[in-house]
Amino acid sequence: MGFLSLGADPSLRGAIMGSEKYRYRQIDHFGFYEDGAFRQRYLVSDTHWRKPGGPILFYTGNEGDITLFSNNTGFMWDVAEELGALLVFAEHRYYGESMPYGNLSYSEPKYLNYLTSEQALADFAILIRFIKESSEAKNSAVIAIGGSYGGMLAAWLRMKYPHVVVGALAASAPIWQFEDLVPCNLYYQIVTNDFKKSGPGCAESVSKSWAAINRMFGSDEGIRWLSGTFHLCSPLKCQDEVAAFKNWLSETWVNLAMVDYPYPANFLEPLPAWPIKEVCKYLKNPNVDDKTLLQNLFQAINLYYNYTGNTPCLNTSQTAVGSLDDLGWSYQACTEMVMPFCSDGVTDMFEPQTWNFEAFSEECYKQWGIRPRPEWITSIYGGRNISAASNIMFRMLSQAPTLLQTTKDVLILIFSALDRQGYMLCVMGVLVVWIRQHTYTPCNTAYIPGGQAMVIWTRGQQEASRQSLSDSLVAILITDGAHHLDLRSNNAYDPKSVIQARALEVAYMKKWIKEHSLQENGL
């Protein structure tokens, strides 16, 4: 059965997308009063599976229909033949077709009580256990893979269920965007840097637009002018709508940074290659009058929402046409996934806005009748204190809004020991040998498992070694990328950094698979 959608990775067109399966799951894995069950959907492809015992690549589903992620995770399809792997894409409860209470699932808060990351991880762990009951899979190594929230889940699955998965690839996974683990304005700084380097005057034009919008909202005539200029489906009516209008614009700039792919794609919206560069062509001159500035802003926004020319008007209640579920994520953000965001208007191009937890909590209570718990995620998953975990690759981008990132413009930040003899990595002309201490020798080549050599290009001025988490927690930083770009299919326009990162990711997977095989054979 095919699962190709408009948002599909272009290089997957015509590919066999796997079979659709369902399996009943407990609604509540951690209590005994609610003993109901629901059908969890998952997709499976065994086209290249080397049976028996071939590895299993298991995608931990995000906040949306699982077919969206299957269609946009071409990396797994690309490497399946090389690894002889079975592919599994598991849908997250309360998304797509995996609704614990059917049509009632979102009707009131009592039915949403089981929409948590912990319940979802238990779903995944039990599904893997079921798959491995097969004689052909009982000795298979399972590697969790995910991007964004799915990447967080992949990492947490390895942390919480290390007996179930031998390792995890967590792409663009913001596991530190909780409490005060990173500055709350870091996210918007990274987005702003994308716009700064994509065209002169671009970020400054966005920065100046907020005051221009405020001035337009100062009169009924200005509000009507904005509605007409931006071709809004629902015209703005009063000054109270200014915050929602500006939030819509802010989310659009953020989405552009996430999908700034080097080739045409339609993950969130149909867009050209390097869409921020295209958008910035309309935002070259920030020093113009308000109406001219905002007309230019519309041209930029219109490229995101109407690149195909088929959109008659712009809907300010929607920032993506893909299958991501804003409603479900809104509930999760109001319970455990509490991510502080702020902007200062100085180091970023956004309107100054503080993180106000009390106001956020009131909004959550008004919408859902519940209060968020900001400390919960760090309490159950460890926050920065994850050194006890192992075999996790965190893949980060230097330009896309990937929140684990702490250093800019280094192609590959961190590699850790791949064996007891250490691991050699060339960073800025220095060979870093990872054992118990670092040895530095001039070089221009890095060596990855299996003896393959590749040149590492870097632009940063910081030592990679200082960012290590542990000997088996690996962080890879990619320049010229976008939101989990490395999980998409190979493409002729992929930057060299992405190609190199994928090669390293596969090398680690082979290492984990080999270690699992040796363990299974008692060696």
Side-chain angles (χ1 to χ4, degrees):
M1 183 180 295
F3 297 99
L4 204 60
S5 72
L6 286 177
D9 199 334
S11 55
L12 285 180
R13 298 198 183 281
I16 298 175
M17 300 305 290
S19 60
E20 186 177 39
K21 297 181 180 294
Y22 294 85
R23 186 74 181 172
Y24 278 97
R25 291 285 163 265
Q26 289 292 127
I27 291 177
D28 183 12
H29 293 291
F30 306 108
F32 297 90
Y33 182 78
E34 171 56 82
D35 63 352
F38 73 100
R39 291 205 318 163
Q40 180 188 18
R41 180 169 61 151
Y42 60 104
L43 312 178
V44 177
S45 174
D46 61 358
T47 303
H48 299 293
W49 193 24
R50 195 177 301 126
K51 297 179 282 189
I56 300 171
L57 303 184
F58 187 94
Y59 188 90
T60 48
N62 305 40
E63 68 282 21
D65 191 297
I66 191 58
T67 61
L68 176 70
F69 305 108
S70 170
N71 294 341
N72 283 277
T73 312
F75 169 75
M76 288 174 59
W77 300 91
D78 289 341
V79 303
E81 183 173 7
E82 180 179 356
L83 298 178
L86 174 71
L87 302 185
V88 179
F89 294 84
E91 191 162 71
H92 194 298
R93 56 170 55 207
Y94 287 90
Y95 294 104
E97 297 181 12
S98 301
M99 293 291 168
Y101 294 99
N103 294 334
L104 294 176
S105 296
Y106 281 87
S107 62
E108 51 183 303
K110 70 177 182 179
Y111 294 122
L112 282 164
N113 194 49
Y114 306 102
L115 173 50
T116 67
S117 61
E118 305 97 299
Q119 297 281 4
L121 292 178
D123 290 338
F124 297 153
I126 292 171
L127 175 57
I128 293 170
R129 176 173 176 169
F130 165 73
I131 292 171
K132 294 197 68 175
E133 288 176 358
S134 161
S135 60
E136 295 176 327
K138 67 177 182 179
N139 295 322
S140 296
V142 182
I143 296 174
I145 297 175
S148 194
Y149 172 50
M152 300 161 76
L153 293 171
W156 292 337
L157 185 63
R158 170 60 184 170
M159 293 178 194
K160 291 296 184 181
Y161 298 92
H163 59 292
V164 173
V165 294
V166 301
L169 169 57
S172 303
I175 65 166
W176 285 350
Q177 189 60 37
F178 298 97
E179 294 193 86
D180 58 353
L181 299 184
V182 296
C184 62
N185 67 335
L186 176 62
Y187 187 82
Y188 290 119
Q189 289 177 1
I190 296 169
V191 173
T192 299
N193 288 339
D194 284 357
F195 283 78
K196 282 183 176 180
K197 66 182 185 180
S198 294
C202 191
E204 190 178 354
S205 292
V206 175
S207 181
K208 288 191 173 183
S209 71
W210 310 117
I213 291 169
N214 290 339
R215 287 189 286 269
M216 284 295 171
F217 266 90
S219 68
D220 291 341
E221 180 184 352
I223 294 173
R224 286 193 296 271
W225 183 88
L226 275 176
S227 297
T229 299
F230 279 81
H231 297 193
L232 300 183
C233 301
S234 299
L236 302 165
K237 297 177 181 178
C238 62
Q239 294 181 0
D240 292 342
E241 294 179 287
V242 62
F245 180 70
K246 289 188 291 187
N247 285 340
W248 173 66
L249 292 173
S250 294
E251 289 182 25
T252 304
W253 304 134
V254 168
N255 285 350
L256 274 164
M258 287 198 296
V259 296
D260 195 28
Y261 298 123
Y263 46 77
N266 38 11
F267 177 51
L268 298 181
E269 295 277 359
L271 291 170
W274 299 117
I276 295 183
K277 289 182 180 179
E278 297 301 314
V279 160
C280 286
K281 291 178 181 178
Y282 298 105
L283 301 174
K284 295 179 179 179
N285 189 0
N287 301 313
V288 292
D289 62 87
D290 286 355
K291 286 190 173 181
T292 301
L293 178 63
L294 294 176
Q295 286 169 339
N296 294 341
L297 200 77
F298 164 73
Q299 294 295 331
I301 289 288
N302 195 50
L303 184 140
Y304 176 78
Y305 290 106
N306 192 25
Y307 180 63
T308 62
N310 297 325
T311 304
C313 59
L314 305 189
N315 184 355
T316 57
S317 65
Q318 180 176 305
T319 57
V321 297
S323 301
L324 294 179
D325 190 328
D326 291 339
L327 188 61
W329 184 251
S330 172
Y331 177 83
Q332 289 192 261
C334 278
T335 51
E336 60 177 2
M337 305 299 291
V338 184
M339 299 182 175
F341 293 106
C342 66
S343 53
D344 59 21
V346 178
T347 61
D348 57 65
M349 67 184 190
F350 296 86
E351 192 170 38
Q353 185 174 1
T354 59
W355 166 246
N356 187 331
F357 175 74
E358 289 71 23
F360 177 74
S361 179
E362 287 301 319
E363 290 177 11
C364 291
Y365 189 77
K366 186 182 299 183
Q367 182 178 8
W368 299 108
I370 46 88
R371 299 286 184 183
R373 300 177 184 175
E375 303 90 3
W376 184 238
I377 289 294
T378 54
S379 297
I380 60 173
Y381 298 124
R384 284 185 178 271
N385 185 22
I386 59 174
S387 57
S390 63
N391 291 5
I392 303 174
M393 287 182 283
F394 293 102
R395 205 278 298 124
M396 306 168 287
L397 301 175
S398 70
Q399 69 175 29
T402 302
L403 300 172
L404 181 60
Q405 165 192 329
T406 58
T407 306
K408 297 285 292 176
D409 293 325
V410 182
L411 172 60
I412 298 180
L413 257 186
I414 311 155
F415 295 95
S416 59
L418 290 176
D419 52 39
R420 294 180 181 177
Q421 284 71 47
Y423 175 63
M424 294 182 288
L425 167 70
C426 175
V427 177
M428 295 166 297
V430 171
L431 181 66
V432 180
V433 180
W434 289 85
I435 308 177
R436 293 184 179 275
Q437 59 186 359
H438 308 127
T439 303
Y440 302 96
T441 307
C443 70
N444 60 8
T445 305
Y447 296 87
I448 63 176
Q452 181 180 356
M454 63 180 179
V455 176
I456 300 296
W457 300 94
T458 61
R459 293 202 304 266
Q461 297 298 320
Q462 302 189 30
E463 290 180 5
S465 59
R466 292 179 180 174
Q467 302 300 323
S468 182
L469 300 175
S470 80
D471 283 349
S472 61
L473 296 180
V474 184
I476 304 170
L477 188 65
I478 302 173
T479 58
D480 300 320
H483 204 45
H484 46 78
L485 173 57
D486 59 321
L487 293 189
R488 294 176 67 84
S489 284
N490 295 329
N491 189 287
Y493 295 99
D494 282 330
K496 182 180 292 187
S497 57
V498 174
I499 297 170
Q500 293 171 337
R502 288 190 187 123
L504 191 70
E505 289 163 358
V506 171
Y508 269 98
M509 289 182 189
K510 289 180 177 178
K511 173 181 179 289
W512 296 337
I513 293 166
K514 182 178 179 180
E515 288 175 345
H516 175 79
S517 176
L518 292 173
Q519 185 178 27
E520 287 291 307
N521 292 302
L523 301 177

